[in-house]
Amino acid sequence: LRQGLEAVLQIGEAELRADASAIGSVTEALGINDPRILGELATQAYLCVPLTARGLMLGAMLFVSPPGRRYARRDLLLAQELGRRVALGVDNARLYEQAQAAIHVRDQILAVVSHDLLNPVSTIQLLATQLSTQVQDSAGAALTTRAAERIRRATDRMILMIRDLLDYA
């Protein structure tokens, strides 16, 4: 029969050992290699509760009693509530870290895309300006000048949008 830390991690249910007088079995149940550790602590009882959030097992939390103290059912309920809150905090921290990493990647992509778009748009804008100044002498100059001016205005708007993206990134 499995007990202690291994059972709590596999089954996901809390365990209360009210009498830990058999130190050898307790150290084995808790995965402690040196039985002297619990002996030196004069452990009377232990509680082991799962840390579960959103259906995910994040770990387990272990409480060992001080000398002269034995855990009861009310201690188990308190430990379970504490375990739920700790698991929620750990899960929230993990989710926050993932969100920050996603934001960083998004900002990098925005910066690269904005930069890559700015070069060809600047070239188009320069050529449209050059075209509008050169067509003053040729036939159909009014139509060409209007087209060049529309190209220039469109590139001006694109450059503003790209700069906004760069500022945001």
Side-chain angles (χ1 to χ4, degrees):
L1 181 66
R2 290 192 174 141
Q3 62 179 6
L5 185 59
E6 182 181 355
V8 170
L9 289 172
Q10 285 186 349
I11 300 169
E13 293 181 14
E15 182 177 304
L16 164 63
R17 174 70 68 90
D19 181 15
S21 55
I23 295 295
S25 65
V26 173
T27 56
E28 184 179 318
L30 299 179
I32 298 172
N33 295 331
D34 188 351
R36 293 177 295 176
I37 293 173
L38 289 181
E40 290 171 7
L41 293 174
T43 297
Q44 300 290 313
Y46 75 83
L47 289 168
C48 191
V49 295
L51 300 178
T52 309
R54 297 182 306 117
L56 300 171
M57 174 67 72
L58 303 175
M61 192 165 37
L62 173 67
F63 300 86
V64 292
S65 69
R69 169 90 160 92
R70 295 189 189 277
Y71 289 130
R73 176 90 177 126
R74 63 184 165 82
D75 298 312
L76 177 62
L77 295 174
L78 179 63
Q80 286 175 314
E81 180 60 25
L82 182 60
R84 278 190 287 275
R85 291 178 185 214
V86 166
L88 183 61
V90 168
D91 191 47
N92 284 343
R94 188 177 52 83
L95 291 172
Y96 178 78
E97 184 178 312
Q98 288 174 352
Q100 291 301 309
I103 289 168
H104 180 69
V105 168
R106 180 205 59 202
D107 289 348
Q108 284 181 323
I109 290 170
L110 280 174
V112 168
V113 167
S114 298
H115 226 266
D116 288 351
L117 285 174
L118 198 54
N119 288 334
V121 170
S122 295
T123 302
I124 294 168
Q125 184 183 41
L126 179 66
L127 292 173
T129 302
Q130 188 178 29
L131 180 64
S132 67
T133 57
Q134 289 177 355
V135 296
Q136 301 298 331
D137 301 332
S138 65
L143 184 61
T144 308
T145 302
R146 280 196 310 271
E149 184 58 29
R150 289 179 70 191
I151 292 170
R152 195 192 56 72
R153 281 196 314 268
T155 59
D156 286 346
R157 285 194 312 271
M158 289 176 71
I159 287 172
L160 285 174
M161 288 188 283
I162 292 168
R163 287 198 175 129
D164 286 346
L165 280 175
L166 281 170
D167 288 344
Y168 180 76

